[in-house]
Amino acid sequence: MKTIGLLGGMSWESTLSYYKAINEGVKKELGGFHSAKIVLYSVDFAEIEEFQNTGQWDKAGNLLAEAAKGVQCAGADFLLLCTNTMHNVVSQIEENIDIPVLHIADATAEELLRNDVKKAGLLGTKFTMEHDFYKNRIREKFGIEVIIPGEDERNAVNDIIYDELCQGIKNYTSEEKILEIIKSLREDGADAVILGCTEISMIIGQEDTDIPLYDTTLIHADAAVKKALKVP
């Protein structure tokens, strides 16, 4: 079994989901008392959040690159960045370490391809939805069209993520709002919707809608288990 490196804390709420999903995946594959070999470095999200909102992505990248070095030195064989948004600086991280990074957008797109999804809606922070690092990677590398909600809807989703979910707050009205936005994405032609923020699945699940949802946290965690155990 390979050792999985997790760079988390963005937020710790979703990192908890990663740890649980990966260990459950290893348990399912191997049985008995088996659990995952994990090296976890959890950053202080307040520092990252400030860099995000002030556009200091280079500083955020440097901070995470240093943390990733620590994960590598602790014995990880590969790295997961436990956040969608901070894949905006994944190239900075990759330049500073020798172990591979398992990219969350790649794992998600591969799952979309397996299910023949041609056009996917994307929900996440405003950075993930509006910047090109995520949408373009899926479009250009995998040939899947990605659409996003309108500006007001993007702002609403972003506020729910930062003001509520990252604080561990779950509101029914926010759940209903996200479901409305998912419906609008479907009306715009989406075959499926990517839950492109590791916190969104805290309040929305497949049981809440009949359009296929792709939970990036669970997809990323499953890909990590398969890589660690060399499962096809």
Side-chain angles (χ1 to χ4, degrees), residues 103-141:
H103 200 292
I104 195 168
D106 291 354
T108 300
E110 286 165 2
E111 189 69 16
L112 291 169
L113 284 179
R114 278 191 285 270
N115 291 289
D116 201 32
V117 173
K118 306 295 186 186
K119 186 175 183 178
L122 173 63
L123 296 180
T125 66
K126 63 182 179 181
F127 309 110
T128 300
M129 292 186 286
E130 295 175 1
H131 294 195
D132 290 333
F133 71 94
Y134 202 94
K135 302 191 300 283
N136 282 6
R137 188 178 183 100
I138 293 176
R139 286 170 179 157
E140 295 171 4
K141 189 173 180 180

Side-chain angles (χ1 to χ4, degrees), residues 27 101 175 183 196 222 225:
K27 171 77 171 182
V101 176
E175 177 185 341
K183 183 179 178 181
D222 182 62
V225 171

Side-chain angles (χ1 to χ4, degrees), residues 127-218:
F127 309 110
T128 300
M129 292 186 286
E130 295 175 1
H131 294 195
D132 290 333
F133 71 94
Y134 202 94
K135 302 191 300 283
N136 282 6
R137 188 178 183 100
I138 293 176
R139 286 170 179 157
E140 295 171 4
K141 189 173 180 180
F142 298 93
I144 300 168
E145 184 179 356
V146 179
I147 61 173
I148 59 175
E151 183 177 0
D152 289 344
E153 293 173 318
R154 296 197 301 270
N155 288 334
V157 174
N158 190 78
D159 289 345
I160 290 168
I161 291 168
Y162 282 99
D163 297 342
E164 297 175 17
L165 300 180
C166 286
Q167 309 293 333
I169 300 168
K170 303 175 186 179
N171 285 331
Y172 175 76
T173 53
S174 297
E175 177 185 341
E176 290 297 301
K177 181 61 178 178
I178 290 179
L179 287 173
E180 288 177 11
I181 296 171
I182 288 173
K183 183 179 178 181
S184 71
L185 288 169
R186 185 172 204 171
E187 291 170 350
D188 288 339
D191 304 318
V193 173
I194 301 167
L195 302 184
C197 171
T198 50
E199 283 85 14
I200 293 179
S201 58
M202 290 167 59
I203 58 170
I204 295 293
Q206 190 59 72
E207 67 278 4
D208 298 310
T209 179
D210 57 359
I211 187 171
L213 300 180
Y214 285 77
D215 181 344
T216 54
T217 302
L218 294 182

